[in-house]
Amino acid sequence: MSNFREMRRKRQQLSEEESIGILQKATAGTLALLGDNGYPYAVPISYVYADGKLYFHSALSGHKVDAIRNCDKASFCVIDKDDVADFVGNAALLHFFHVYLSISVLCGITYVDSELRLTVAWEKHK
C-alpha cells in the first residue's frame, strides 16, 4: 500500500515511462519543502535526471538547505505543457480551457557529495 493518496482523476494519470520522459526533457521545476515556522517553501530550480534520480545544485547554506535539514520530505513539480485554448460550447459558462501536462514527485531528499538528491517515490499528475 502506498503512503500517498491515489490520484483523483485517474484517466489523466501518466505512465511511469511518460513521467520519466518529461523529467528527461525538462531542465527546471519547482521544489517544495517545509520552510520556516511550518510555512511551505517552494523554489524554482534547475535539475538533472540521471540513473533514476534527480540531482540539484545547491549552496551549502540558506533557506532551502535549512528546510532540508529540518525535514527530509519534499515535492517536486515539472510542467511540460501549459496552453490556453478557445472553448467550443457555451461561451457564457467558460471562455477558454487549459491544456496542462505536469508531474508531481513526492519524495525524500538527501545530500549527496555536496549536492541535493531527491530519492523518488512517484505520484504523477496530468
PDB file of all heavy atoms in Angstrom, residues 5 7-8 11 13 15 20 24 30-31 56 59 65 73 75-76 81 86 92 102 109 111 114 116 118 124 126:
ATOM      1  N   ARG A   5      -1.864   9.518  -1.414  1.00  0.00           N
ATOM      2  CA  ARG A   5      -3.222   9.431  -1.934  1.00  0.00           C
ATOM      3  C   ARG A   5      -3.195   8.979  -3.387  1.00  0.00           C
ATOM      4  O   ARG A   5      -2.288   9.299  -4.131  1.00  0.00           O
ATOM      5  CB  ARG A   5      -3.891  10.807  -1.916  1.00  0.00           C
ATOM      6  CG  ARG A   5      -4.176  11.336  -0.569  1.00  0.00           C
ATOM      7  CD  ARG A   5      -4.878  12.662  -0.723  1.00  0.00           C
ATOM      8  NE  ARG A   5      -5.023  13.291   0.567  1.00  0.00           N
ATOM      9  CZ  ARG A   5      -5.972  14.155   0.848  1.00  0.00           C
ATOM     10  NH1 ARG A   5      -6.825  14.521  -0.083  1.00  0.00           N
ATOM     11  NH2 ARG A   5      -6.052  14.681   2.048  1.00  0.00           N
ATOM     12  N   MET A   7      -4.473   9.276  -7.176  1.00  0.00           N
ATOM     13  CA  MET A   7      -4.865  10.416  -7.986  1.00  0.00           C
ATOM     14  C   MET A   7      -6.371  10.362  -8.222  1.00  0.00           C
ATOM     15  O   MET A   7      -6.923   9.326  -8.581  1.00  0.00           O
ATOM     16  CB  MET A   7      -4.112  10.384  -9.314  1.00  0.00           C
ATOM     17  CG  MET A   7      -4.296  11.622 -10.118  1.00  0.00           C
ATOM     18  SD  MET A   7      -3.118  11.630 -11.468  1.00  0.00           S
ATOM     19  CE  MET A   7      -3.885  12.825 -12.512  1.00  0.00           C
ATOM     20  N   ARG A   8      -7.044  11.493  -8.013  1.00  0.00           N
ATOM     21  CA  ARG A   8      -8.495  11.560  -8.140  1.00  0.00           C
ATOM     22  C   ARG A   8      -8.938  11.391  -9.589  1.00  0.00           C
ATOM     23  O   ARG A   8      -9.886  10.685  -9.874  1.00  0.00           O
ATOM     24  CB  ARG A   8      -8.993  12.891  -7.567  1.00  0.00           C
ATOM     25  CG  ARG A   8     -10.496  13.019  -7.530  1.00  0.00           C
ATOM     26  CD  ARG A   8     -10.926  14.322  -6.888  1.00  0.00           C
ATOM     27  NE  ARG A   8     -10.397  15.494  -7.547  1.00  0.00           N
ATOM     28  CZ  ARG A   8     -10.956  16.080  -8.617  1.00  0.00           C
ATOM     29  NH1 ARG A   8     -12.047  15.585  -9.147  1.00  0.00           N
ATOM     30  NH2 ARG A   8     -10.410  17.152  -9.147  1.00  0.00           N
ATOM     31  N   ARG A  11      -7.913   8.906 -15.065  1.00  0.00           N
ATOM     32  CA  ARG A  11      -7.779   8.794 -16.523  1.00  0.00           C
ATOM     33  C   ARG A  11      -6.733   9.766 -17.070  1.00  0.00           C
ATOM     34  O   ARG A  11      -6.264   9.622 -18.186  1.00  0.00           O
ATOM     35  CB  ARG A  11      -9.115   8.976 -17.227  1.00  0.00           C
ATOM     36  CG  ARG A  11      -9.675  10.364 -17.179  1.00  0.00           C
ATOM     37  CD  ARG A  11     -11.020  10.434 -17.919  1.00  0.00           C
ATOM     38  NE  ARG A  11     -11.536  11.784 -17.897  1.00  0.00           N
ATOM     39  CZ  ARG A  11     -11.231  12.723 -18.778  1.00  0.00           C
ATOM     40  NH1 ARG A  11     -10.413  12.441 -19.773  1.00  0.00           N
ATOM     41  NH2 ARG A  11     -11.735  13.928 -18.685  1.00  0.00           N
ATOM     42  N   GLN A  13      -3.855  10.244 -15.392  1.00  0.00           N
ATOM     43  CA  GLN A  13      -2.568   9.855 -14.826  1.00  0.00           C
ATOM     44  C   GLN A  13      -1.623   9.363 -15.914  1.00  0.00           C
ATOM     45  O   GLN A  13      -2.002   8.587 -16.794  1.00  0.00           O
ATOM     46  CB  GLN A  13      -2.772   8.762 -13.779  1.00  0.00           C
ATOM     47  CG  GLN A  13      -1.489   8.399 -13.063  1.00  0.00           C
ATOM     48  CD  GLN A  13      -1.743   7.567 -11.827  1.00  0.00           C
ATOM     49  OE1 GLN A  13      -2.849   7.551 -11.302  1.00  0.00           O
ATOM     50  NE2 GLN A  13      -0.732   6.881 -11.375  1.00  0.00           N
ATOM     51  N   SER A  15       1.760   7.376 -17.367  1.00  0.00           N
ATOM     52  CA  SER A  15       2.511   6.161 -17.060  1.00  0.00           C
ATOM     53  C   SER A  15       3.878   6.564 -16.495  1.00  0.00           C
ATOM     54  O   SER A  15       4.318   7.717 -16.628  1.00  0.00           O
ATOM     55  CB  SER A  15       2.708   5.330 -18.324  1.00  0.00           C
ATOM     56  OG  SER A  15       3.587   6.003 -19.212  1.00  0.00           O
ATOM     57  N   ILE A  20       8.892   9.781 -16.755  1.00  0.00           N
ATOM     58  CA  ILE A  20      10.349   9.807 -16.912  1.00  0.00           C
ATOM     59  C   ILE A  20      10.722  10.606 -18.151  1.00  0.00           C
ATOM     60  O   ILE A  20      11.691  11.374 -18.134  1.00  0.00           O
ATOM     61  CB  ILE A  20      10.914   8.379 -16.957  1.00  0.00           C
ATOM     62  CG1 ILE A  20      10.797   7.743 -15.562  1.00  0.00           C
ATOM     63  CG2 ILE A  20      12.366   8.368 -17.443  1.00  0.00           C
ATOM     64  CD1 ILE A  20      11.107   6.271 -15.515  1.00  0.00           C
ATOM     65  N   GLN A  24      13.268  13.713 -18.265  1.00  0.00           N
ATOM     66  CA  GLN A  24      14.451  13.709 -19.127  1.00  0.00           C
ATOM     67  C   GLN A  24      14.482  14.916 -20.056  1.00  0.00           C
ATOM     68  O   GLN A  24      15.551  15.412 -20.389  1.00  0.00           O
ATOM     69  CB  GLN A  24      14.493  12.421 -19.950  1.00  0.00           C
ATOM     70  CG  GLN A  24      14.795  11.203 -19.113  1.00  0.00           C
ATOM     71  CD  GLN A  24      14.632   9.902 -19.880  1.00  0.00           C
ATOM     72  OE1 GLN A  24      13.841   9.804 -20.814  1.00  0.00           O
ATOM     73  NE2 GLN A  24      15.373   8.886 -19.462  1.00  0.00           N
ATOM     74  N   THR A  30       9.778  23.064  -9.779  1.00  0.00           N
ATOM     75  CA  THR A  30       9.595  23.738  -8.503  1.00  0.00           C
ATOM     76  C   THR A  30       9.748  22.733  -7.379  1.00  0.00           C
ATOM     77  O   THR A  30       9.019  21.737  -7.325  1.00  0.00           O
ATOM     78  CB  THR A  30       8.219  24.417  -8.422  1.00  0.00           C
ATOM     79  OG1 THR A  30       8.099  25.345  -9.508  1.00  0.00           O
ATOM     80  CG2 THR A  30       8.042  25.157  -7.103  1.00  0.00           C
ATOM     81  N   LEU A  31      10.705  22.979  -6.507  1.00  0.00           N
ATOM     82  CA  LEU A  31      10.959  22.144  -5.342  1.00  0.00           C
ATOM     83  C   LEU A  31      10.220  22.752  -4.153  1.00  0.00           C
ATOM     84  O   LEU A  31      10.408  23.929  -3.842  1.00  0.00           O
ATOM     85  CB  LEU A  31      12.464  22.085  -5.064  1.00  0.00           C
ATOM     86  CG  LEU A  31      12.911  21.290  -3.849  1.00  0.00           C
ATOM     87  CD1 LEU A  31      12.570  19.808  -4.010  1.00  0.00           C
ATOM     88  CD2 LEU A  31      14.417  21.471  -3.633  1.00  0.00           C
ATOM     89  N   PHE A  56      20.221  18.209  -7.912  1.00  0.00           N
ATOM     90  CA  PHE A  56      20.109  19.666  -7.871  1.00  0.00           C
ATOM     91  C   PHE A  56      21.421  20.261  -7.385  1.00  0.00           C
ATOM     92  O   PHE A  56      22.065  19.712  -6.501  1.00  0.00           O
ATOM     93  CB  PHE A  56      19.022  20.101  -6.885  1.00  0.00           C
ATOM     94  CG  PHE A  56      17.683  19.508  -7.167  1.00  0.00           C
ATOM     95  CD1 PHE A  56      17.299  18.330  -6.567  1.00  0.00           C
ATOM     96  CD2 PHE A  56      16.810  20.143  -8.018  1.00  0.00           C
ATOM     97  CE1 PHE A  56      16.048  17.781  -6.822  1.00  0.00           C
ATOM     98  CE2 PHE A  56      15.563  19.608  -8.273  1.00  0.00           C
ATOM     99  CZ  PHE A  56      15.187  18.424  -7.680  1.00  0.00           C
ATOM    100  N   ALA A  59      23.672  25.806  -2.829  1.00  0.00           N
ATOM    101  CA  ALA A  59      24.646  26.410  -1.931  1.00  0.00           C
ATOM    102  C   ALA A  59      24.713  25.530  -0.677  1.00  0.00           C
ATOM    103  O   ALA A  59      23.854  24.667  -0.462  1.00  0.00           O
ATOM    104  CB  ALA A  59      24.218  27.825  -1.563  1.00  0.00           C
ATOM    105  N   VAL A  65      18.498  24.812   2.259  1.00  0.00           N
ATOM    106  CA  VAL A  65      19.325  23.854   2.994  1.00  0.00           C
ATOM    107  C   VAL A  65      18.793  23.677   4.416  1.00  0.00           C
ATOM    108  O   VAL A  65      18.695  22.553   4.919  1.00  0.00           O
ATOM    109  CB  VAL A  65      20.795  24.303   2.999  1.00  0.00           C
ATOM    110  CG1 VAL A  65      21.639  23.417   3.895  1.00  0.00           C
ATOM    111  CG2 VAL A  65      21.338  24.296   1.572  1.00  0.00           C
ATOM    112  N   LYS A  73      11.341  15.403   3.711  1.00  0.00           N
ATOM    113  CA  LYS A  73      10.270  15.178   2.740  1.00  0.00           C
ATOM    114  C   LYS A  73      10.175  16.368   1.796  1.00  0.00           C
ATOM    115  O   LYS A  73      10.359  17.514   2.204  1.00  0.00           O
ATOM    116  CB  LYS A  73       8.946  14.959   3.451  1.00  0.00           C
ATOM    117  CG  LYS A  73       8.909  13.660   4.243  1.00  0.00           C
ATOM    118  CD  LYS A  73       7.589  13.508   4.948  1.00  0.00           C
ATOM    119  CE  LYS A  73       7.505  12.186   5.676  1.00  0.00           C
ATOM    120  NZ  LYS A  73       8.361  12.120   6.828  1.00  0.00           N
ATOM    121  N   SER A  75       8.463  17.770  -2.324  1.00  0.00           N
ATOM    122  CA  SER A  75       7.647  17.594  -3.516  1.00  0.00           C
ATOM    123  C   SER A  75       8.343  18.353  -4.634  1.00  0.00           C
ATOM    124  O   SER A  75       8.872  19.438  -4.419  1.00  0.00           O
ATOM    125  CB  SER A  75       6.243  18.153  -3.278  1.00  0.00           C
ATOM    126  OG  SER A  75       5.475  18.097  -4.467  1.00  0.00           O
ATOM    127  N   PHE A  76       8.358  17.749  -5.825  1.00  0.00           N
ATOM    128  CA  PHE A  76       8.982  18.391  -6.974  1.00  0.00           C
ATOM    129  C   PHE A  76       8.014  18.325  -8.140  1.00  0.00           C
ATOM    130  O   PHE A  76       7.483  17.266  -8.463  1.00  0.00           O
ATOM    131  CB  PHE A  76      10.299  17.685  -7.322  1.00  0.00           C
ATOM    132  CG  PHE A  76      11.060  18.347  -8.421  1.00  0.00           C
ATOM    133  CD1 PHE A  76      11.564  19.628  -8.265  1.00  0.00           C
ATOM    134  CD2 PHE A  76      11.283  17.695  -9.617  1.00  0.00           C
ATOM    135  CE1 PHE A  76      12.279  20.250  -9.278  1.00  0.00           C
ATOM    136  CE2 PHE A  76      11.999  18.299 -10.638  1.00  0.00           C
ATOM    137  CZ  PHE A  76      12.492  19.575 -10.468  1.00  0.00           C
ATOM    138  N   LYS A  81       3.541  21.041 -20.299  1.00  0.00           N
ATOM    139  CA  LYS A  81       2.678  21.718 -21.273  1.00  0.00           C
ATOM    140  C   LYS A  81       1.722  22.616 -20.510  1.00  0.00           C
ATOM    141  O   LYS A  81       1.120  22.210 -19.527  1.00  0.00           O
ATOM    142  CB  LYS A  81       1.895  20.677 -22.079  1.00  0.00           C
ATOM    143  CG  LYS A  81       1.081  21.232 -23.201  1.00  0.00           C
ATOM    144  CD  LYS A  81       0.458  20.088 -23.987  1.00  0.00           C
ATOM    145  CE  LYS A  81      -0.126  20.596 -25.279  1.00  0.00           C
ATOM    146  NZ  LYS A  81      -0.653  19.498 -26.097  1.00  0.00           N
ATOM    147  N   ASP A  86      -9.172  28.194 -26.965  1.00  0.00           N
ATOM    148  CA  ASP A  86     -10.549  28.675 -27.030  1.00  0.00           C
ATOM    149  C   ASP A  86     -11.497  27.531 -26.716  1.00  0.00           C
ATOM    150  O   ASP A  86     -11.296  26.398 -27.139  1.00  0.00           O
ATOM    151  CB  ASP A  86     -10.868  29.231 -28.410  1.00  0.00           C
ATOM    152  CG  ASP A  86     -10.127  30.518 -28.694  1.00  0.00           C
ATOM    153  OD1 ASP A  86      -9.805  31.232 -27.725  1.00  0.00           O
ATOM    154  OD2 ASP A  86      -9.863  30.793 -29.868  1.00  0.00           O
ATOM    155  N   ALA A  92     -20.976  31.513 -22.399  1.00  0.00           N
ATOM    156  CA  ALA A  92     -21.414  32.189 -21.183  1.00  0.00           C
ATOM    157  C   ALA A  92     -20.873  31.484 -19.940  1.00  0.00           C
ATOM    158  O   ALA A  92     -20.697  32.101 -18.898  1.00  0.00           O
ATOM    159  CB  ALA A  92     -22.943  32.244 -21.131  1.00  0.00           C
ATOM    160  N   SER A 102       1.664  17.948 -16.421  1.00  0.00           N
ATOM    161  CA  SER A 102       2.724  18.101 -15.429  1.00  0.00           C
ATOM    162  C   SER A 102       2.893  16.804 -14.661  1.00  0.00           C
ATOM    163  O   SER A 102       2.053  15.916 -14.729  1.00  0.00           O
ATOM    164  CB  SER A 102       2.396  19.233 -14.450  1.00  0.00           C
ATOM    165  OG  SER A 102       1.286  18.865 -13.647  1.00  0.00           O
ATOM    166  N   ILE A 109      14.430  13.712   0.404  1.00  0.00           N
ATOM    167  CA  ILE A 109      15.538  14.477  -0.162  1.00  0.00           C
ATOM    168  C   ILE A 109      16.735  14.379   0.771  1.00  0.00           C
ATOM    169  O   ILE A 109      16.587  14.457   1.992  1.00  0.00           O
ATOM    170  CB  ILE A 109      15.121  15.941  -0.419  1.00  0.00           C
ATOM    171  CG1 ILE A 109      16.199  16.696  -1.188  1.00  0.00           C
ATOM    172  CG2 ILE A 109      14.721  16.650   0.860  1.00  0.00           C
ATOM    173  CD1 ILE A 109      15.735  18.031  -1.749  1.00  0.00           C
ATOM    174  N   TYR A 111      21.390  14.891   1.000  1.00  0.00           N
ATOM    175  CA  TYR A 111      22.620  15.422   0.426  1.00  0.00           C
ATOM    176  C   TYR A 111      23.433  14.275  -0.177  1.00  0.00           C
ATOM    177  O   TYR A 111      23.513  13.201   0.406  1.00  0.00           O
ATOM    178  CB  TYR A 111      23.479  16.097   1.494  1.00  0.00           C
ATOM    179  CG  TYR A 111      22.947  17.417   1.936  1.00  0.00           C
ATOM    180  CD1 TYR A 111      22.238  17.535   3.115  1.00  0.00           C
ATOM    181  CD2 TYR A 111      23.148  18.548   1.163  1.00  0.00           C
ATOM    182  CE1 TYR A 111      21.741  18.760   3.522  1.00  0.00           C
ATOM    183  CE2 TYR A 111      22.656  19.771   1.565  1.00  0.00           C
ATOM    184  CZ  TYR A 111      21.952  19.861   2.741  1.00  0.00           C
ATOM    185  OH  TYR A 111      21.469  21.067   3.138  1.00  0.00           O
ATOM    186  N   SER A 114      27.826  17.018  -1.558  1.00  0.00           N
ATOM    187  CA  SER A 114      27.603  18.466  -1.578  1.00  0.00           C
ATOM    188  C   SER A 114      26.542  18.915  -2.567  1.00  0.00           C
ATOM    189  O   SER A 114      26.453  20.082  -2.914  1.00  0.00           O
ATOM    190  CB  SER A 114      28.911  19.223  -1.859  1.00  0.00           C
ATOM    191  OG  SER A 114      29.840  18.935  -0.855  1.00  0.00           O
ATOM    192  N   LEU A 116      22.219  18.158  -3.757  1.00  0.00           N
ATOM    193  CA  LEU A 116      20.975  17.612  -3.249  1.00  0.00           C
ATOM    194  C   LEU A 116      20.450  16.552  -4.202  1.00  0.00           C
ATOM    195  O   LEU A 116      20.570  16.675  -5.406  1.00  0.00           O
ATOM    196  CB  LEU A 116      19.929  18.723  -3.121  1.00  0.00           C
ATOM    197  CG  LEU A 116      20.311  19.858  -2.191  1.00  0.00           C
ATOM    198  CD1 LEU A 116      19.236  20.922  -2.207  1.00  0.00           C
ATOM    199  CD2 LEU A 116      20.500  19.335  -0.782  1.00  0.00           C
ATOM    200  N   LEU A 118      16.941  14.023  -4.867  1.00  0.00           N
ATOM    201  CA  LEU A 118      15.630  13.520  -4.496  1.00  0.00           C
ATOM    202  C   LEU A 118      15.599  12.032  -4.762  1.00  0.00           C
ATOM    203  O   LEU A 118      15.907  11.594  -5.864  1.00  0.00           O
ATOM    204  CB  LEU A 118      14.537  14.176  -5.350  1.00  0.00           C
ATOM    205  CG  LEU A 118      14.174  15.609  -5.024  1.00  0.00           C
ATOM    206  CD1 LEU A 118      13.127  16.100  -6.003  1.00  0.00           C
ATOM    207  CD2 LEU A 118      13.661  15.732  -3.616  1.00  0.00           C
ATOM    208  N   LYS A 124       2.149  10.863  -9.772  1.00  0.00           N
ATOM    209  CA  LYS A 124       2.137  11.565 -11.052  1.00  0.00           C
ATOM    210  C   LYS A 124       0.785  12.228 -11.280  1.00  0.00           C
ATOM    211  O   LYS A 124      -0.250  11.668 -10.954  1.00  0.00           O
ATOM    212  CB  LYS A 124       2.442  10.587 -12.178  1.00  0.00           C
ATOM    213  CG  LYS A 124       3.813   9.939 -12.033  1.00  0.00           C
ATOM    214  CD  LYS A 124       3.963   8.771 -12.949  1.00  0.00           C
ATOM    215  CE  LYS A 124       3.057   7.657 -12.571  1.00  0.00           C
ATOM    216  NZ  LYS A 124       3.606   6.436 -12.118  1.00  0.00           N
ATOM    217  N   LYS A 126      -1.462  14.633 -14.283  1.00  0.00           N
ATOM    218  CA  LYS A 126      -1.530  15.190 -15.636  1.00  0.00           C
ATOM    219  C   LYS A 126      -2.550  16.306 -15.625  1.00  0.00           C
ATOM    220  O   LYS A 126      -3.545  16.246 -14.967  1.00  0.00           O
ATOM    221  CB  LYS A 126      -1.945  14.110 -16.628  1.00  0.00           C
ATOM    222  CG  LYS A 126      -2.147  14.617 -18.044  1.00  0.00           C
ATOM    223  CD  LYS A 126      -2.523  13.477 -18.937  1.00  0.00           C
ATOM    224  CE  LYS A 126      -2.798  13.999 -20.332  1.00  0.00           C
ATOM    225  NZ  LYS A 126      -3.272  12.981 -21.240  1.00  0.00           N
TER     226      LYS A 126
END
